[in-house]
Amino acid sequence: MNSGYIDGETSAILGDRTLPPGFHHPHASEQARLIAEQGTILRAQVGSGVHGTSVSGQDDRDEMGICLEPPEYVTGIARVPAGVNAETAMVEFEQYQRHTVWDQPGGIANRSGVGDLDVVIYSARKWARLALGGNPTVLLLLFVPANEVVYRNTAGAELTANAHQFVSQLAAGRFLGYLGAQRRAMTGQSGAHTNRPELVAEHGYDTKYAMHALRLGVQGIELLSTGRITLPVPEPEREHLRSIRRGEVALDDVVAAIDDVEQKLVNLKAKSAVPAEPNREWVNAWLHRSYQTYWDGRSSVSSLDD
C-alpha cells in the first residue's frame, strides 16, 4: 500500500496522497482538495479495520488525515468555495471531506458500504484543537500502527512520536460523552438516531453502535491508564467486540459490559495516571514550526519556478 520506508512507528511513510475529486458538499471543493492533498503530513486508516473489529463483507474504509494549508488561509482571510460549482458561497478551510458513495445515485444521502472510502483531512490547527480537548476520534490517529498509515512525512512523524503531549484527563469526559451517544443509539432511545434498522430488526439492538460503545470504553480506560491506545484492540476484548457486532451477545449482557467500562471511566475521570492538562506549549510550538517549514518549502519551489 505504501512506498517510501518504514522504520518503527514514527518514521516517514511516503505513500499516495491522492484524494477523491471534489463534490457538491461544503467541505469538498476542488480548491479544498488541492490544499489538503498537497499539504498532507499524516493520513491513515481509522475505522473498524484498524480497530480489528470489522466483519467480513460489511465495512467501508475510513481514513483521517492532517494537512498544513498555505499562509493566506492562516494569516490572511482567504476562503475556499463551498463545494464544486459554488458560484459565490465561500467557507473557511477547515477540512476536506469526501465519501466515494456520494458518486452513486442518491448522492450525499447514501450510506457507505463495502468498498467505499470515507476520508477527512483536517487542517492541522483544527485537528490540534480537537485533540487537545480529548476528542476520541481524532486522538486515534496518533496511535495507528505503521502498516495502516497511508502517508506520513517528517512533520507527521514528529507528531506521532509526541502523542503523549496531547493526552490528558480531559479525554475522560469526551470518551464518556461519545460512549453515551453510541449507547443511546444502539437501543433507539429518545433523541437518538440509527441508520441501521435492519440490525435492530434482526438482533433487537443496533449491534454496530453497541460494539462502538464498548470499544470506546475499553480504549478510554487504556488511554487514561497508560497514555496510549493499542491498535488493533488486543484480545480477548477484540473478539468480544466482534461477537457483539455479529449479534451473538444478548442485549442485557452488552448493557452490563458497557455499564462496567462506563463506571471505570467515571472513576478515571476523577483520578488517572495521565496529566490533568495536555502540553499546549509543545503543541503550539509544533504547529508554528511545521507551518513555517512548509511555507518556506513552498516559497523555495516558487522561486525555482520563476
Side-chain angles (χ1 to χ4, degrees):
M1 179 175 65
N2 303 314
S3 60
Y5 62 94
I6 300 176
D7 181 19
E9 295 302 309
T10 56
S11 60
I13 300 174
L14 304 180
D16 186 4
R17 293 178 292 178
T18 304
L19 291 164
F23 198 78
H24 302 283
H25 181 279
H27 295 297
S29 69
E30 273 296 300
Q31 191 170 341
R33 181 187 66 80
L34 289 173
I35 292 171
E37 196 172 274
Q38 294 171 2
T40 296
I41 62 169
L42 180 63
R43 178 176 165 186
Q45 181 175 195
V46 293
S48 296
V50 77
H51 293 300
T53 57
S54 61
V55 175
S56 179
Q58 295 187 20
D59 290 297
D60 57 359
R61 178 180 173 89
D62 296 300
E63 292 183 3
M64 181 185 296
I66 303 170
C67 72
L68 302 169
E69 57 268 49
E72 59 267 29
Y73 295 92
V74 178
T75 63
I77 58 172
R79 299 291 186 267
V80 295
V84 297
N85 300 326
E87 296 182 0
T88 58
M90 305 291 285
V91 295
E92 181 179 354
F93 177 81
E94 292 188 328
Q95 66 210 54
Y96 181 74
Q97 182 176 345
R98 186 67 160 87
H99 297 187
T100 57
V101 73
W102 294 348
D103 296 325
Q104 303 302 318
I108 292 177
N110 292 332
R111 190 175 79 187
S112 295
V114 180
D116 293 320
L117 171 66
D118 295 354
V119 59
V120 57
I121 308 294
Y122 287 109
S123 152
R125 294 174 301 135
K126 179 175 181 177
W127 180 90
R129 289 194 298 270
L130 293 171
L132 286 169
N135 183 296
T137 304
V138 301
L139 281 174
L140 189 76
L141 187 58
L142 294 170
F143 304 106
V144 175
N147 64 304
E148 297 291 355
V149 173
V150 176
Y151 184 91
R152 182 171 64 203
N153 67 8
T154 302
E158 183 184 8
L159 181 68
T160 54
N162 285 275
H164 61 283
Q165 308 288 4
F166 291 86
V167 178
S168 77
Q169 293 174 19
L170 296 177
R174 300 307 301 275
F175 271 85
L176 282 166
Y178 275 55
L179 183 157
Q182 299 285 324
R183 176 179 183 152
R184 290 188 295 274
M186 81 176 187
T187 55
Q189 292 181 28
S190 177
H193 169 72
T194 177
N195 61 355
R196 290 179 288 269
E198 71 280 4
L199 294 181
V200 178
E202 182 177 357
H203 304 293
Y205 65 99
D206 188 315
T207 58
K208 190 170 184 179
Y209 277 130
M211 180 271 291
H212 282 309
L214 185 57
R215 173 188 59 78
L216 282 160
V218 169
Q219 291 178 332
I221 290 167
E222 181 185 11
L223 181 69
L224 291 161
S225 301
T226 70
R228 302 282 304 177
I229 294 176
T230 302
L231 294 170
V233 176
E235 297 290 7
E237 288 86 357
R238 189 194 320 170
E239 182 52 35
H240 186 211
L241 291 170
R242 286 170 56 84
S243 66
I244 291 172
R245 175 77 184 276
R246 294 190 295 261
E248 298 168 358
V249 182
L251 177 58
D252 287 347
D253 293 334
V254 173
V255 170
I258 294 173
D259 283 344
D260 180 59
V261 295
E262 187 174 34
Q263 185 57 55
K264 289 177 180 177
L265 276 177
V266 169
N267 295 340
L268 286 167
K269 185 178 181 181
K271 183 179 181 181
S272 69
V274 300
E277 298 285 338
N279 189 344
R280 293 182 178 85
E281 289 186 8
W282 184 91
V283 174
N284 190 58
W286 174 82
L287 284 168
H288 178 78
R289 181 170 60 253
S290 299
Y291 272 103
Q292 192 62 60
T293 300
Y294 178 58
W295 295 343
D296 289 346
R298 284 169 51 87
S299 297
S300 298
V301 172
S302 297
S303 297
L304 290 173
D305 291 340
D306 290 341

